[in-house]
């Protein structure tokens, strides 16, 4: 008996449905595999960019770490190079703009002794340096409290590097060109990075935000992301990153001690004519104290030490003194007597044996800022002028009230590499 047409069509449809479902499942699986492979490819590409950024970051810290040894005899540690503005791989004259201004250009791989560094798209890295850490023209002060100038944010403006503008250097991998970016090839063999010999004019073609090459103030630098209009990938260095490495130098404690010694020697010389035991008293020492003191309470003058030229620091120590002088305070007896008492131990890592000394003057070094529940703040000029942001305990009380003794260590030491060496250091001038 021949089945009715409806039964025949129903039978064929029932056989076709599993086949269609199987094809859909196979297509979905293929798309899933393709998507996974594309994701893996993007991850590998991102990894190549991240590796180049990490190498560049290490090289910058290494440069700052070894700055005095890199044909910069007599200069202080901590400076980082200006960017490459001429597409030569090296720093060029005037590449860092005016003092305290930041600058953006290409990463100066030749200055750092590196091969050319490229991201996953074959693009050369770019680099922003803050005015507070650049080597030319140098900032007036560079130490572990120096301010940053950059903050890394997401395309939506969410802070990534931290809420504060505490990055002193940012390296950028520009990635593939976005719509509207036209990147010309390097015009000569000597200029091996794509682009022209003018980094300032090339900025819009390589970086995704409208950055200016001269940066007078704070700047947000955008870290790109998938699905956004920005694909720049960044790495950054904060002042804590920099000095976290520098303080591991074996000679760093000696550097801090030398700053204290030079300041104490110069202050002792300026005060040598004060007091009844000095028949050559011509009033110069008293005039110096009066001019430099922020407060005079009874017989005690308190203040911040002036710059190296005013204090009379020897030439070989002048750069270090000026870099660290915001850490330094003095207290001195106006009549030249030994009116001060200091209880001193050798260092925070030595046995806790202390001795009491009587002094005509003291040079005080605040140490690294306290973190934690009651942090010391040294970001602004007003905070750096506030002695309570540097001294602790009885030293803070004695300095601010003009009454009481002082206590601290003679020598700088790091008791724990993961914690700030915040202990106050003291030099006694007998």
């Amino acid at each position: 008996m021949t089945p009715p047409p409806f039964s025949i069509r129903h039978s064929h449809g029932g056989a076709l449905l599993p086949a269609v479902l199987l094809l859909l499942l196979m297509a979905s699986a293929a798309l899933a595999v393709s998507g996974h492979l594309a994701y893996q490819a993007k991850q590998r590409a991102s990894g190549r960019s991240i590796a180049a950024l990490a190498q560049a970051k290490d090289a910058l810290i290494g440069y700052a770490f070894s700055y005095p040894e890199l044909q910069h005899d007599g200069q202080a540690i901590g400076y980082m190079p200006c960017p490459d503005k001429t597409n030569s791989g090296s720093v060029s004259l005037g590449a860092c703009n005016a003092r305290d201004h930041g600058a953006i250009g290409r990463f100066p791989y030749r200055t750092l002794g590196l091969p050319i560094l490229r991201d996953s798209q074959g693009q050369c890295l770019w680099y922003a340096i803050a005015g507070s850490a650049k080597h030319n023209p140098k900032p007036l002060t560079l130490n572990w409290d120096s301010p940053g100038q950059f903050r890394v944010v997401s395309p939506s403006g969410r802070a990534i590097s931290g809420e504060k503008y505490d990055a002193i250097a940012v390296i950028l991998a520009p990635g593939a060109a976005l719509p509207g970016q036209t990147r010309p090839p390097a015009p000569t063999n000597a200029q091996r990075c794509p682009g022209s010999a003018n980094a300032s004019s090339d900025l819009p073609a390589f970086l995704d935000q409208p950055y200016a090459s001269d940066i007078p103030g704070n700047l947000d630098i955008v870290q790109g992301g998938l699905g956004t209009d920005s694909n720049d990938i960044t790495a950054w260095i904060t002042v804590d990153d920099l000095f976290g490495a520098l303080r591991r130098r074996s000679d760093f404690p000696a550097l801090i001690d030398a700053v204290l010694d030079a300041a104490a020697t110069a202050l002792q010389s300026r005060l040598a004519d004060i007091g009844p035991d000095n028949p050559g008293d011509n009033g110069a020492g008293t005039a110096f104290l009066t001019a430099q003191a922020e407060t005079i309470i009874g017989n005690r003058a308190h203040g911040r030490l002036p710059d190296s030229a005013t204090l009379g620091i020897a030439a070989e120590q002048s750069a270090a003194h000026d870099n660290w002088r915001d850490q330094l305070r003095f207290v001195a007896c106006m009549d030249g007597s030994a009116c001060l008492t200091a209880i001193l131990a050798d260092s925070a890592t030595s046995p806790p044996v202390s001795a009491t000394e009587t002094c005509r003057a003291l040079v005080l070094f605040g140490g690294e800022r306290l973190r934690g529940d009651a942090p010391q703040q040294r970001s602004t000029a007003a905070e750096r002028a506030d002695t309570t942001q540097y001294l602790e305990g009885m030293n803070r009380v004695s300095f601010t009230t003009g009454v009481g003794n002082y206590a601290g260590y003679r020598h700088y030491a790091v008791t724990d590499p993961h914690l700030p060496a915040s202990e106050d250091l003291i030099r006694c001038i007998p």
Side-chain angles (χ1 to χ4, degrees):
M1 177 177 172
T2 303
F6 176 82
S7 298
I8 293 174
R9 287 195 298 270
H10 180 75
S11 175
H12 286 176
L16 187 61
L17 184 60
V20 171
L21 290 173
L22 180 60
L23 287 172
L24 288 173
L25 288 171
M26 290 174 65
S28 297
L31 286 172
V33 170
S34 174
H36 180 66
L37 291 175
Y39 176 78
Q40 284 187 323
K42 289 179 180 177
Q43 289 291 94
R44 285 194 295 271
S46 177
R48 289 194 292 273
S49 294
I50 290 171
L53 290 169
Q55 187 176 1
K57 178 177 177 177
D58 287 345
L60 286 170
I61 292 176
Y63 181 93
F65 194 93
S66 306
Y67 189 79
E69 290 82 36
L70 297 172
Q71 299 180 352
H72 305 118
D73 292 341
Q75 299 192 38
I77 61 173
Y79 299 106
M80 287 190 280
C82 297
D84 167 18
K85 289 291 187 74
T86 59
N87 205 355
S88 65
S90 301
V91 173
S92 55
L93 187 65
C96 262
N97 308 318
R99 175 172 280 122
D100 297 329
H101 284 214
I104 298 182
R106 290 181 173 87
F107 182 74
Y109 59 91
R110 284 182 175 169
T111 296
L112 293 161
L114 294 173
I116 193 167
L117 296 182
R118 299 180 186 270
D119 66 11
S120 61
Q121 301 298 314
Q123 299 296 326
C124 293
L125 303 182
W126 287 69
Y127 165 60
I129 178 66
S132 58
K134 66 186 184 182
H135 73 155
N136 185 26
K138 291 178 172 62
L140 298 178
T141 297
L142 175 59
N143 58 52
W144 50 42
D145 294 326
S146 291
Q149 196 169 357
F150 308 118
R151 183 179 66 162
V152 179
V153 301
S154 70
S156 65
R158 178 179 59 85
I160 297 173
S161 62
E163 293 296 334
K164 294 183 177 181
Y165 289 85
D166 58 357
I168 55 176
V170 181
I171 313 115
L172 302 98
L178 296 177
Q181 287 182 324
T182 301
R183 297 176 176 175
T188 68
N189 290 333
Q191 296 166 330
R192 296 189 291 170
C193 288
S196 74
N198 188 327
S200 299
S201 63
D202 283 353
L203 273 170
F206 289 88
L207 301 183
D208 304 334
Q209 304 298 317
Y211 302 125
S213 60
D214 185 6
I215 310 165
N218 290 340
L219 177 69
D220 282 340
I221 293 183
V222 177
Q223 168 91 287
L226 296 176
T228 71
D229 294 331
S230 180
N231 63 359
D232 297 341
I233 300 176
T234 67
W236 59 89
I237 300 170
T238 67
V239 73
D240 287 342
D241 293 331
L242 178 61
F243 278 90
L246 295 180
R247 70 204 288 273
R248 291 194 291 271
R249 279 183 60 132
S250 60
D251 61 350
F252 189 73
L255 182 152
I256 298 298
D257 285 345
V259 169
L260 269 165
D261 290 339
T265 298
L267 181 60
Q268 184 172 20
S269 178
R270 296 305 300 262
L271 305 182
D273 66 352
I274 297 178
D277 296 332
N278 296 292
D281 184 358
N282 59 11
T286 302
F288 174 83
L289 282 181
T290 303
Q292 301 303 323
E294 295 171 351
T295 59
I296 297 176
I297 304 174
N299 191 33
R300 297 184 183 185
H302 312 78
R304 292 190 290 172
L305 284 176
D307 62 24
S308 58
T310 304
L311 187 57
I313 295 286
E316 62 272 16
Q317 284 291 332
S318 62
H321 174 85
D322 289 338
N323 272 351
W324 292 95
R325 75 184 184 92
D326 60 4
Q327 312 285 315
L328 296 166
R329 302 293 189 274
F330 76 88
V331 55
C333 307
M334 289 294 297
D335 63 0
S337 66
C339 70
L340 300 166
T341 298
I343 304 166
L344 303 178
D346 192 53
S347 78
T349 57
S350 63
V353 177
S354 58
T356 300
E357 301 184 19
T358 55
C359 318
R360 294 189 300 121
L362 301 172
V363 174
L364 312 168
F365 183 91
E368 296 182 68
R369 65 191 181 279
L370 292 171
R371 276 75 153 178
D373 295 334
Q376 291 173 324
Q377 304 290 344
R378 305 176 186 174
S379 298
T380 67
E383 288 169 348
R384 291 192 293 276
D386 182 0
T387 298
T388 64
Q389 300 301 326
Y390 292 87
L391 303 181
E392 296 96 43
M394 70 167 64
N395 296 334
R396 182 176 59 218
V397 173
S398 298
F399 193 93
T400 54
T401 66
V403 177
N405 300 331
Y406 290 81
Y409 296 100
R410 298 183 183 90
H411 303 293
Y412 174 84
V414 177
T415 57
D416 185 331
H418 304 293
L419 296 175
S422 59
E423 296 84 5
D424 295 342
L425 307 180
I426 299 177
R427 286 291 183 275
C428 171
I429 297 174

